[in-house]
Every structure is written in C-alpha cells, then in structure tokens.
DNA sequence: GTTGAAAATAGCGCAGA
DNA sequence: TCTGCGCTATTTTCAAC
C-alpha cells in the first residue's frame, strides 16, 4: 500500500470541501495537469480512499418514527463486496447510521421508519436487495433513552 | 416556501447516492431536460436544501476515537430497575445513544471513547457499575460508514 | 508527468405552454 | 412559472509522448 503524498492529501482536502469541484479546477489548485490529476483521483477511488461522493442534504423534519437496529452479514467480505454494499447503504435515506463491526465483520445499521409497516417496506425493498447481503437481523427499539 | 415535489425528492435521492453524477445523467434519471434539471438543482442549492457536496474519505485515523456498540441486559426488567439504569446512562457522557429494545438484549448503547484503553476505563468505571446490569456485550466498530 | 484533440457536459438566453 | 431547445465555453477523457 502506497502512502498518500502531499498532493494526494491536497486532493482529498479539496474534494472533501467541495465534492463537485471540476477536475480542471482541482488540477490547478494542486499544481498538476488535468489528466494527471484525474489519474490520481481515479486511483484514490479505486483504492477505496475515496469511498464515494454525496450531496449534503438539509434534514428538515426529525420525525418521531420507529428506530430499528439492523445487523447485516455479507456473503463475502471482499473489498469490492463491501464497497458495493456501502454504496447501497448510503443511497438509502432511512439508514441513519452504519458501522462496520469487528467480530463477524458485519454491519450495524440504525434505520428510522415511520412505523412497523414502513419498516417492512424498507426491509423488503431496500435492505434485502442490497448487494451481497446474506443475513438480516432486525431489532426494534421500544423507546429512545438517548437519541442519535 | 415551496414544498419539495416528487422530482425534487428524486434529485436529492440521486445526488445523495452519487454527488458527482453529471447533470445530464441526473436529468435523464428524473425525466427532465438537462437545463430544467440544472435549474432545479441550483434552486435547491440556493434554498439551502442542498448544503454542499463532499467526497466520502476513508478515515484511517478517525478523530472522534472508537465507536462501540454495547448491548446491556438487566437483571430485572421492572420499571424501577429500568428507571434507575436509564438515569445512570444519561449521566454518562460517553454514551451518545441509548435505545430500549425488544427481544432478549434489553438496551443498545452507542459509546464513544478515545481509544480501546479509554473504553476499558468506561466499561469498568461506568457501564459495569450501572445499577441492575447483568450482562455487557461490546462490539467495536472498525469504521463509520454513515455518521458517527 | 505532460500535451493535444475529440467527445461530452455545463451553463446561458430565448421562446412557448 | 416551469419547461424544452440551441448555442458556446468549459470540461472530461483518451491517446501518444
């Protein structure tokens, strides 16, 4: 594994500040030609240093729904399988938190749904269709003692 | 203030999944012309619904320390035992979230510590001394995929 | 790592339902 | 007002060096 040099770190810092900044502007800011810069960015993406890009959405209404803690085990634990799963997780707005855990190397998700029926829909249409999912274990919260 | 229509929500969902998606691809996905789509995106940005864009960087040395998901079972599940336990939980600043769960493991806590040694201290001095605690199961998170 | 050229895209004015 | 269309500057992307 190559360590990140100063240029790589500058790229990461700039892309974290503005994920939609053009490659041309990024290249100029770090002092590279656009093609060399793009090659570094693609390499950082492929190595998993950049896991993806996302829009920061203003959360309007913190709705008082059902909280479900979900444990998900993947069929395989390859980097590629994990990356694909995590991409699907980030795409699902009902998943409020997600942690990759030690142990059986599965994930813990905190999912918020409007009610039990809504969670059933999320389970069927989103969670169970995520790539590489082998097992889903759902635990419903009765009450939030300290909220996230 | 205009409420978000179905097209706006589709745009937000897609940009949340891939913040660098081209406007042309976004437009096709939501069924608009590129210019109409771009105008909606700019409006969402200007209204503050989209606060910005960012690259999701793999955190090798995460600053906030380690995240531990803790499952705590009480000796008794009487109202009084639960009330006393929850009071102790609220007094512990390292416990960032706490949910009373259905099923066998009674509470799930998200605890943040500086490092593993710090968590050991929290475990010994705080968690294990909370009233009515019968069993503590700790799972360490390797990485936060969403939030933290 | 760079240059250069072709293809795709962004961004803007303008006209119409 | 919101949409779609045409145009141009910019950007992306790939090849060759």
């Amino acid at each position: 594994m190559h360590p990140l040099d100063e240029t790589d770190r500058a790229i990461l810092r700039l892309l974290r500040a503005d994920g939609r900044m053009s490659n041309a502007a990024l290249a100029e800011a770090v002092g590279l030609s656009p093609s060399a810069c793009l090659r570094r960015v693609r390499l950082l993406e492929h190595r998993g240093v950049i896991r993806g890009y996302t829009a920061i959405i203003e959360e309007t209404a913190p709705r008082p729904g059902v909280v479900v803690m979900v444990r998900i085990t993947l069929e395989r634990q390859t980097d590629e399988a994990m990356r694909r799963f995590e991409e699907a997780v980030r795409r699902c707005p009902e998943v409020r938190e997600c942690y990759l855990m030690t142990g059986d190397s599965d994930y813990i998700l905190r999912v918020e749904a409007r009610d039990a029926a809504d969670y059933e829909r999320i389970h069927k249409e989103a969670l169970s269709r995520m790539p590489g999912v082998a097992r889903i274990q759902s635990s419903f919260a009765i009450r939030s003692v300290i909220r996230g």
Side-chain angles (χ1 to χ4, degrees), chain A:
Chain A
M1 271 248 178
H2 289 283
L4 305 176
D5 67 11
E6 204 45 57
T7 305
D8 286 327
R9 271 191 286 272
I11 287 172
L12 294 178
R13 180 167 40 79
L14 288 160
L15 281 181
R16 200 163 70 167
D18 179 8
R20 275 202 86 115
M21 140 179 246
S22 78
N23 179 61
L26 184 64
E28 192 186 351
V30 301
L32 285 178
S33 68
S35 58
C37 183
L38 184 63
R39 205 174 308 133
R40 276 178 184 260
V41 170
R42 292 283 179 269
L43 195 60
L44 288 168
E45 289 168 359
H46 195 258
R47 284 205 283 162
V49 181
I50 296 175
R51 310 292 288 201
Y53 302 89
T54 189
I56 303 162
I57 308 297
E58 161 82 0
E59 301 291 343
T60 47
R63 44 202 167 146
V66 183
V67 172
V68 189
M69 304 300 290
V70 184
R71 271 183 63 174
I72 290 189
T73 306
L74 298 188
E75 295 163 354
R76 289 173 297 277
Q77 297 173 18
T78 61
D79 277 0
E80 178 61 18
M82 289 164 61
R83 187 151 44 235
R84 288 188 60 211
F85 171 76
E86 290 173 20
E87 189 185 332
V89 161
R90 282 193 291 267
R91 169 187 309 243
C92 179
E94 289 90 353
V95 178
R96 297 312 182 88
E97 292 175 71
C98 176
Y99 303 96
L100 172 64
M101 306 302 292
T102 55
D104 300 331
S105 270
D106 44 16
Y107 291 89
I108 289 184
L109 282 61
R110 180 169 67 86
V111 175
E112 281 192 15
R114 287 189 298 278
D115 47 41
D118 188 41
Y119 179 72
E120 189 182 344
R121 176 190 63 80
I122 294 164
H123 186 286
K124 281 170 64 177
E125 296 179 7
L127 301 179
S128 65
R129 290 182 189 174
M130 286 179 180
V133 168
R135 195 163 75 248
I136 302 176
Q137 296 166 275
S138 305
S139 302
F140 282 73
I142 300 170
R143 177 161 49 83
S144 295
V145 179
I146 299 176
R147 272 197 74 81

